[in-house]
Amino acid sequence: QKEVEQNSGPLSVPEGAIASLNCTYSDRVSQSFFWYRQYSGKSPELIMSIYSNGDKEDGRFTAQLNKASQYVSLLIRDSQPSDSATYLCAVNVAGNQFYFGTGTSLTVIP
Amino acid sequence: DGGITQSPKYLFRKEGQNVTLSCEQNLNHDAMYWYRQDPGQGLRLIYYSQIVNDFQKGDIAEGYSVSREKKESFPLTVTSAQKNPTAFYLCATRPFRGASGNTIYFGEGSWLTVV
């Protein structure tokens, strides 16, 4: 079983809608969770980090963490065409290891 | 201008050649990482280093070598032993200290193509 799993998509939403991206992880001692956005041909850029159960909001982005279910999600409100990218979920287990999912491709249709 | 600088951005390698990818950072971050990304795949860890003169193998270290002679620099050499080196290579750093100590940040990446 992979450490971090994401639905590869593609996920398409109309402009202005809410995009919901999901991620599950296998290691119960995972401590830190991250969402990165990666445009085609570019490097990943950090969008959100979350460390404790519940919701964390930053502008149009909300990360949700449920450690009991080993589940982390990212909601993008009022989706814009510029949000079209691949979104990578990353998990930091205690120590130096970071595990990345394969990413979910999001397309926002104008 | 601060950040993580990778060079070159594009590199072509002939079969049997070694090539070195540069990664320099002026963020004073302690840890540095090298990842490889293939199309449609996630990031796979090649090597990482927490401190100067020390580094650890990641999941796919075979055919690669690194050095960490100074805090700011973590070059990656792709040797001829790496049979399928064509990929996007990402250098990353991690501060370890402070509120964002667990976060890793990426350079702009280097595209390596074998010709």
Side-chain angles (χ1 to χ4, degrees):
Chain A
Q1 182 184 1
K2 293 182 179 178
E3 288 84 2
V4 180
E5 297 208 43
Q6 296 181 251
N7 188 334
S8 61
L11 174 66
S12 294
V13 299
E15 185 174 354
I18 296 175
S20 177
L21 306 166
N22 303 314
C23 173
T24 58
Y25 60 94
S26 60
D27 196 321
R28 290 191 171 272
V29 298
S30 299
Q31 296 180 331
S32 310
F33 307 85
F34 307 89
W35 283 99
Y36 289 84
R37 178 176 62 201
Q38 186 174 26
Y39 292 114
S40 180
K42 303 295 185 182
S43 65
E45 56 179 322
L46 180 69
I47 298 176
M48 295 279 289
S49 59
I50 186 166
Y51 303 101
S52 54
N53 281 327
D55 295 359
K56 179 181 178 182
E57 186 175 317
D58 184 1
R60 295 186 297 111
F61 299 96
T62 299
Q64 299 174 317
L65 175 61
N66 184 326
K67 289 188 176 182
S69 300
Q70 296 177 245
Y71 175 93
V72 58
S73 65
L74 179 70
L75 299 178
I76 306 174
R77 291 181 301 281
D78 188 24
S79 295
Q80 301 297 309
S82 59
D83 295 326
S84 298
T86 296
Y87 289 81
L88 302 175
C89 173
V91 172
N92 173 231
V93 182
N96 286 301
Q97 290 282 15
F98 289 81
Y99 296 98
F100 289 82
T102 54
T104 298
S105 175
L106 171 66
T107 299
V108 180
I109 304 168
Chain B
D1 196 20
I4 305 165
T5 302
Q6 289 188 239
S7 63
K9 189 170 179 65
Y10 300 97
L11 183 61
F12 296 90
R13 188 193 96 168
K14 293 182 179 180
E15 298 226 11
Q17 277 185 338
N18 293 352
V19 294
T20 297
L21 307 179
S22 170
C23 180
E24 302 280 333
Q25 56 109 351
N26 61 5
L27 302 170
N28 199 33
H29 286 180
D30 293 295
M32 298 186 74
Y33 300 77
W34 275 105
Y35 287 90
R36 167 179 173 148
Q37 188 176 35
D38 294 280
Q41 298 192 29
L43 279 63
R44 293 185 289 169
L45 180 64
I46 305 173
Y47 270 98
Y48 67 95
S49 168
Q50 294 185 72
I51 57 173
V52 173
N53 292 323
D54 185 59
F55 47 82
Q56 307 296 325
K57 291 182 178 180
D59 299 321
I60 57 165
E62 185 175 351
Y64 300 97
S65 66
V66 293
S67 63
R68 186 90 185 272
E69 296 179 0
K70 52 182 182 176
K71 189 175 183 179
E72 300 79 16
S73 179
F74 191 42
L76 174 74
T77 297
V78 185
T79 75
S80 56
Q82 171 49 239
K83 296 306 178 189
N84 187 22
T86 296
F88 187 41
Y89 289 86
L90 289 159
C91 177
T93 68
R94 175 185 177 191
F96 262 113
R97 299 180 180 85
S100 61
N102 272 344
T103 307
I104 61 171
Y105 301 92
F106 290 92
E108 294 189 343
S110 293
W111 290 92
L112 174 63
T113 303
V114 172
V115 296

